[in-house]
């Protein structure tokens, strides 16, 4: 058995309310015991077990919190769109149309290049404290390119998502219904061995709700689990569709009606907010308060993609959520860890409770509040996943 004891933790965020009655489950002056890759014990430093400890690490009063669970990324692509970003910063508005330029480059890239680029982004994410990543396809948009995108993603994570319905590719622009049939048929069959989830971009310039329903139901029939990009660019029926199909998460949701909020509040579906997209498209940030008032579980994720949110930094996402979207620092940290786990329907990650995966980070700061208080500064000192030190 391998055992590691982290001692002298100034502030431990467990996300286990039994410790202090709050969502973050804080323990002051704490210690954390890891055995065989899982959390074996969390409690006061003064009560830390001393027997059979193989390795001991002194956290020197720093804050320890769960690794981030980034439940929404698009990391299989090549090429950047910095000129498109520049044009937006000078006044142009975002459209889903830019996706086509990444599709063109991604189709031409070798498997080796796509894998190497995705691994580069994953290692950047790890350095920033992320320990679990969901990765979508969606820049292939042909049977061959969606299949290889997911084959590559599945070499990096178990949380792989088929997003053949990202936009209609140029070669189907005059026959979009044929593309929907392709996604539901041959393309779906080709990707099923490599995908866990199915997603649709249901929005202006992408897919209408009836197409989204047809595609998600086809995926469900093949054993994939639904999630959906909804209401990013305008209000629509995507959130209601997500609830109807018991989607694990509805993502973006920057434009919500009262009916959407009511539907979410009576469901198990998580609302995942992606402020990187509002930042990079110079759009209005949604306000999280109506969601929290309705007791809806809210996740935060990076949406890492070359068009609308080219960041892997969950600390940056937390800072934006606090500054611009009325998250409390506590809620933002919970949403980036436990919220992400719920958006992936995972109980083994996102919290530091007995039996959970030992996925955590040590910050070079005394408190999680510094994540928003010190924006743009990488405070990550160490990152551990499955009880092994990554950073
Ligand atoms: O989640 N919303 C749809 N897809 C991506 C954007 C993709 C792109 O612009 O390349 C997103 O923001
Ligand atoms: Fe996205």
């Amino acid at each position: 058995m391998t055992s590691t004891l982290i001692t002298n933790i100034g502030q431990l965020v467990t996300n286990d309310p039994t410790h202090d009655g709050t969502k973050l489950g804080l323990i002051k002056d704490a210690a954390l015991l890891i055995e065989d890759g899982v959390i074996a014990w969390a409690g006061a430093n003064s009560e830390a077990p001393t027997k059979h400890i193989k390795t001991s690490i002194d956290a020197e009063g720093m804050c320890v919190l769960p690794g981030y669970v980034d439940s929404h990324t698009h990391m299989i692509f090549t090429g950047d769109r910095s000129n498109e970003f520049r044009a937006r910063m000078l006044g142009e508005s975002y459209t889903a149309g830019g996706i086509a330029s990444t599709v063109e480059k991604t189709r031409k890239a070798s498997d080796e290049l796509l894998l190497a680029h995705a691994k580069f982004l994953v290692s950047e994410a790890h350095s920033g404290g992320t320990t679990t990543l969901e990765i979508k396809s969606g820049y292939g948009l042909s049977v061959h390119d969606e299949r290889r995108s997911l084959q590559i993603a599945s070499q990096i994570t178990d949380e792989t998502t088929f997003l053949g319905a990202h936009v209609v590719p140029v070669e189907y622009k005059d026959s979009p219904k044929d593309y929907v049939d392709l996604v539901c048929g041959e393309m779906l069959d080709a990707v099923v061995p490599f995908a866990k989830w199915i997603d649709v971009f249901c929005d202006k310039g992408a897919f209408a709700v009836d197409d989204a329903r047809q595609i998600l139901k086809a995926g469900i029939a093949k054993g994939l689990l639904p999630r959906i990009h909804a209401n990013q660019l305008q209000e629509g029926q995507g959130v209601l569709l997500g609830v109807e199909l018991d989607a694990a998460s509805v993502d973006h949701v920057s434009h919500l009606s009262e009916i959407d909020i009511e539907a979410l509040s009576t469901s198990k579906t998580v609302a995942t907010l992606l402020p990187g997209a509002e930042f990079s498209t110079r759009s209005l940030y949604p306000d999280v308060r109506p969601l929290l008032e309705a007791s809806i579980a809210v996740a935060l994720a990076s949406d890492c993609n070359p068009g609308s949110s080219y960041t892997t930094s969950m600390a940056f996402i937390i800072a934006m959520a606090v500054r611009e979207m009325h998250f409390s620092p506590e809620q933002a940290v919970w949403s980036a860890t436990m919220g992400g786990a719920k958006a992936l329907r995972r109980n083994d990650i996102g919290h530091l409770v007995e039996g959970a995966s030992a996925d955590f980070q040590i910050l070079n700061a005394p408190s999680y509040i510094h994540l928003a208080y010190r924006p743009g500064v990488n405070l990550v000192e160490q990152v551990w996943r499955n009880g092994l030190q990554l950073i």
Side-chain angles (χ1 to χ4, degrees):
M1 185 178 72
T2 60
S3 59
T4 306
L5 182 68
I6 318 283
T7 61
N8 207 10
I9 299 169
Q11 181 187 58
L12 178 63
V13 177
T14 65
N15 288 339
D16 175 1
T18 62
H19 291 294
D20 68 344
T22 74
K23 261 175 131 167
L24 287 192
L26 297 176
I27 310 176
K28 235 177 124 214
D29 301 323
L32 188 66
L33 178 66
I34 298 126
E35 282 175 357
D36 290 337
V38 299
I39 304 296
W41 177 87
N45 196 47
S46 57
E47 290 162 21
T50 48
K51 279 191 190 153
H52 312 299
I53 305 297
K54 294 231 168 84
T55 319
S56 191
I57 290 170
D58 185 346
E60 296 174 0
M62 295 190 276
C63 174
V64 171
L65 70 159
Y68 300 124
V69 179
D70 189 351
S71 61
H72 184 137
T73 83
H74 306 248
M75 288 188 170
I76 311 298
F77 66 90
T78 189
D80 81 52
R81 282 158 46 200
S82 49
N83 285 331
E84 187 189 310
F85 173 79
R86 178 177 182 277
R88 278 199 302 277
M89 294 307 109
L90 298 180
E92 280 190 21
S93 57
Y94 176 78
T95 70
I99 293 170
S101 69
T102 302
V103 171
E104 205 185 313
K105 292 197 181 85
T106 302
R107 284 177 176 176
K108 287 188 192 137
S110 66
D111 291 3
E112 291 72 27
L113 190 132
L114 292 176
L115 178 62
H117 186 248
K119 282 188 168 169
F120 168 79
L121 292 173
V122 167
S123 98
E124 193 179 273
H126 287 158
S127 316
T130 297
T131 47
T132 302
L133 285 151
E134 177 266 13
I135 301 183
K136 300 174 203 299
S137 66
Y139 291 115
L141 309 189
S142 68
V143 173
H144 171 73
D145 292 297
E146 282 297 299
R147 182 182 154 92
R148 73 190 183 104
S149 295
L150 283 157
Q151 196 169 19
I152 292 163
S154 69
Q155 292 174 51
I156 302 175
T157 183
D158 294 336
E159 303 296 346
T160 53
T161 301
F162 171 42
L163 182 59
H166 200 181
V167 285
V168 174
V170 276
E171 62 275 21
Y172 280 90
K173 100 173 158 0
D174 297 325
S175 52
K177 288 285 171 207
D178 290 345
Y179 185 67
V180 172
D181 290 341
L182 180 74
V183 170
C184 295
E186 196 189 337
M187 194 183 281
L188 178 60
D189 287 336
V191 303
V192 155
F194 306 108
K196 173 172 176 183
W197 303 95
I198 182 160
D199 192 347
V200 174
F201 184 14
C202 180
D203 221 312
K204 182 174 75 179
F207 291 85
V209 70
D210 290 337
D211 293 336
R213 181 182 286 103
Q214 184 187 338
I215 294 163
L216 292 173
K217 281 189 161 179
I220 293 166
K222 298 276 176 178
L224 303 187
L225 304 168
R227 45 201 317 107
I228 185 168
H229 279 70
N231 304 33
Q232 174 187 359
L233 305 175
Q234 63 184 25
E235 266 190 33
Q237 300 298 306
V239 170
L240 295 181
L241 175 63
V243 171
E244 173 192 322
L245 299 178
D246 185 32
S249 176
V250 289
D251 293 33
H252 284 283
V253 296
S254 308
H255 302 271
L256 287 173
S257 68
E258 279 177 25
I259 294 170
D260 293 329
I261 292 185
E262 167 66 22
L264 282 169
S265 72
T266 55
S267 77
K268 279 201 301 164
T269 301
V270 172
T272 298
L273 300 182
L274 307 165
E278 271 76 38
F279 177 89
S280 295
T281 62
R282 208 190 267 294
S283 305
L284 284 180
Y285 293 92
D287 186 331
V288 76
R289 288 174 293 184
L291 289 165
L292 298 177
E293 279 155 21
S295 301
I296 294 161
V298 176
L300 282 165
S302 72
D303 195 20
C304 178
N305 77 76
S308 66
S309 181
Y310 200 4
T311 183
T312 54
S313 171
M314 290 294 282
F316 174 55
I317 298 296
I318 287 173
M320 276 188 284
V322 170
R323 174 63 180 82
E324 306 288 349
M325 296 159 78
H326 296 278
F327 280 72
S328 65
E330 293 70 34
Q331 178 64 47
V333 166
W334 187 92
S335 291
T337 52
M338 197 66 191
K342 286 192 182 293
L344 295 173
R345 300 230 162 130
R346 296 270 301 265
N347 292 322
D348 58 325
I349 53 174
H351 52 175
L352 303 176
V353 298
E354 208 181 304
S357 195
D359 294 1
F360 62 92
Q361 41 177 326
I362 305 180
L363 292 185
N364 187 6
S367 162
Y368 62 84
I369 300 170
H370 281 229
L371 291 163
Y373 173 54
R374 306 207 59 218
V377 179
N378 188 358
L379 297 172
V380 173
E381 190 71 23
Q382 291 185 21
V383 181
W384 292 62
R385 194 184 54 193
N386 296 326
L388 298 173
Q389 189 173 355
L390 287 180
I391 304 291

